[in-house]
Amino acid sequence: MRILVLANTPAHVHLYRHAVDRLEDAGHDVLVLTREYACTTDLLDFYGMPYRVYGEHGTDRYSKLKFARELGGQFFTIGREARRFDPDVIFGRGPYAAYAGTLTRTPVVLVLDDEPTAFNHTISRPFANCILSPRVTRRDLGDDHYTFDGFKECAYLHPEVFERDANVREFLGVEPDEQYILVRFNALDAFHDTDLEGFKPHQRRDLVERLSEHATVFVSDEGDEMDFRDLPARPYELHPALIHDAMAEASLLVADTGTMATEAALLGTPAFRYRGTDDREYGEFQELERAGLAEQFDEYAAVRDRSLEILTDDDVPARWQQRRQEYVSDLVNLSDLLVDVAESRGAIDRLSSSTRQTLQRKRPEQAQL
């Protein structure tokens, strides 16, 4: 079989990397189509995944006009590469995967989450043969929409697939018993982030200064705007493939971005997300809050003060790990599911009965449009 994967962001690389390895080991041909965005191609190189680049996307503040200008050239390259590869099934999300599938007359599998904008869902849904999303996704996307117990991040952070690198503290230059914090500042450059604002510059500085009184602070600044010259913090400079290892060892993650907050929560690290001007609701975060693994804040002072409180509670690490063990162990290993769906060419009725049992058809009463 020939499997085409559209991976547009670092998170997409992690989503598919274990499935790609297993499909290649089984003798299938796999190609990843990607764009130059943040560390996406760095990750593809690190994991040895076969890929071709169809375009690029900068980390400057995004605009609809710039998005429109980029789109035409990217679609042309995706179409050319998809026809050349001639896939049997396509994985992805949004208009890119839908277009590739339509052009090559290939079954399309969309792997979605509770994305805030309806644009990607609306434009790609009519072209999908199968849509997979976490059970907590609020949208009903039709008869071909199936849900699973878990999160997209379970493809690489499920206990069956994630094993932390024991050397990560040495790589970071921290002692075995040294408490450290990861702070993540979002560039907010994606199309769906237009007009959103996370931590303001003075809040970033205040947060780092206050946290540094209790622990070593590492800052991952996606927009590369932070000036560290007189700041009591270190830039996070490890290879991006090690971020989850670093996250698993951290005492706390504070972020104004969604993916890393979800990842930290699933690893049993307290995950605090500052919403800033983002007032949209996400089923994933609501579920993680219910499980006691993540917290969201509308006010800057609240996330700062709660962070300081958690750092002085010696019982927090054991409490969060216990919650993680009780919650995550029952979730679906998404990489297993992706491999099975790929080998069935996106046809749910061809899956084994045991695999079908991990899926539920989305019911209208579950959805919130």
Side-chain angles (χ1 to χ4, degrees):
M1 282 182 58
R2 301 170 71 80
I3 299 106
L4 180 66
V5 175
L6 277 295
N8 300 327
T9 70
H12 298 166
V13 176
H14 290 300
L15 169 63
Y16 292 109
R17 61 185 176 89
H18 290 294
V20 168
D21 282 347
R22 290 173 52 183
L23 288 166
E24 287 191 310
D25 289 344
H28 303 298
D29 292 327
V30 183
L31 175 65
V32 177
L33 289 183
T34 190
R35 61 186 177 184
E36 295 282 0
Y37 170 65
C39 60
T40 304
T41 54
D42 292 334
L43 289 171
L44 289 165
D45 287 330
F46 183 90
Y47 295 119
M49 296 169 67
Y51 73 92
R52 294 176 191 157
V53 176
Y54 67 77
E56 62 180 316
H57 178 101
T59 55
D60 54 337
R61 289 293 288 187
Y62 217 59
S63 70
K64 294 180 180 179
L65 178 60
K66 185 175 182 180
F67 174 75
R69 284 200 302 263
E70 291 177 349
L71 205 57
Q74 293 181 0
F75 273 129
F76 175 81
T77 305
I78 288 171
R80 181 190 65 202
E81 297 294 343
R83 283 181 294 191
R84 182 181 296 169
F85 185 65
D86 190 25
D88 295 298
V89 64
I90 295 173
F91 282 79
R93 62 186 295 150
Y96 300 107
Y99 171 68
T102 301
L103 197 63
T104 59
R105 298 183 179 180
T106 303
V108 174
V109 178
L110 303 179
V111 185
L112 306 175
D113 56 6
D114 235 352
E115 183 178 292
T117 176
F119 173 76
N120 277 338
H121 300 324
T122 301
I123 201 168
S124 58
R125 168 181 167 180
F127 305 96
N129 297 78
C130 172
I131 300 173
L132 303 176
S133 77
R135 177 181 52 81
V136 295
T137 301
R138 297 165 304 147
R139 301 177 190 273
D140 174 17
L141 298 175
D143 292 340
D144 297 316
H145 182 190
Y146 295 84
T147 67
F148 56 90
D149 287 327
F151 302 78
K152 293 199 327 310
E153 293 78 8
C154 288
Y156 52 99
L157 295 181
H158 192 279
E160 293 177 0
V161 296
F162 177 74
E163 184 176 350
R164 73 180 69 182
D165 190 323
N167 298 312
V168 71
R169 282 184 169 271
E170 179 182 347
F171 298 153
L172 287 169
V174 296
E175 298 297 325
D177 58 350
E178 185 175 348
Q179 188 170 231
Y180 71 85
I181 304 159
L182 284 176
V183 178
R184 172 67 166 181
F185 296 132
N186 197 345
L188 294 172
D189 60 326
F191 180 69
H192 59 253
D193 290 330
T194 302
D195 300 326
L196 291 184
E197 186 178 68
F199 287 109
K200 297 178 180 178
H202 73 276
Q203 293 172 338
R204 293 183 176 197
R205 176 168 289 274
D206 180 65
L207 178 67
V208 169
E209 289 176 345
R210 297 291 296 276
L211 293 178
S212 68
E213 297 173 4
H214 300 274
T216 301
V217 178
F218 290 94
V219 176
S220 172
D221 180 19
E222 187 180 29
D224 197 26
E225 299 173 347
M226 204 80 186
D227 184 354
F228 289 91
R229 284 176 296 183
D230 62 343
L231 203 63
R234 308 183 203 174
Y236 177 82
E237 296 179 325
L238 298 189
H239 191 283
L242 295 172
I243 187 61
H244 303 117
D245 306 283
M247 211 181 287
E249 283 287 317
S251 299
L252 172 68
L253 174 106
V254 184
D256 54 7
T257 180
T259 297
M260 285 185 65
T262 301
E263 291 170 337
L266 292 175
L267 289 167
T269 297
F272 294 168
R273 175 178 178 257
Y274 175 53
R275 292 158 58 109
T277 59
D278 186 0
D279 60 358
R280 299 166 297 197
E281 294 295 337
Y282 303 83
E284 288 88 347
F285 291 132
Q286 291 176 335
E287 175 68 6
L288 290 169
E289 285 186 297
R290 185 196 64 77
L293 293 169
E295 299 178 23
Q296 294 189 95
F297 303 85
D298 295 324
E299 301 293 333
Y300 165 68
V303 66
R304 179 197 62 201
D305 294 347
R306 178 61 172 148
S307 298
L308 296 174
E309 176 187 353
I310 212 88
L311 291 172
T312 59
D313 186 342
D314 294 336
D315 296 330
V316 163
R319 191 160 69 241
W320 248 261
Q321 283 299 321
Q322 179 65 30
R323 291 173 184 172
R324 184 223 182 202
Q325 292 171 11
E326 293 174 352
Y327 180 72
V328 177
S329 60
D330 292 330
L331 302 182
V332 167
N333 178 342
L334 183 55
S335 286
D336 286 348
L337 179 58
L338 293 177
V339 169
D340 290 346
V341 172
E343 293 184 328
S344 76
R345 303 191 183 196
I348 298 300
D349 58 357
R350 295 180 189 169
L351 294 172
S352 67
S353 58
S354 60
T355 300
R356 285 200 303 272
Q357 288 174 5
T358 67
L359 295 172
Q360 305 92 37
R361 181 164 285 173
K362 189 73 175 180
R363 298 190 301 272
E365 62 268 23
Q366 294 175 318
Q368 177 182 335
L369 297 178

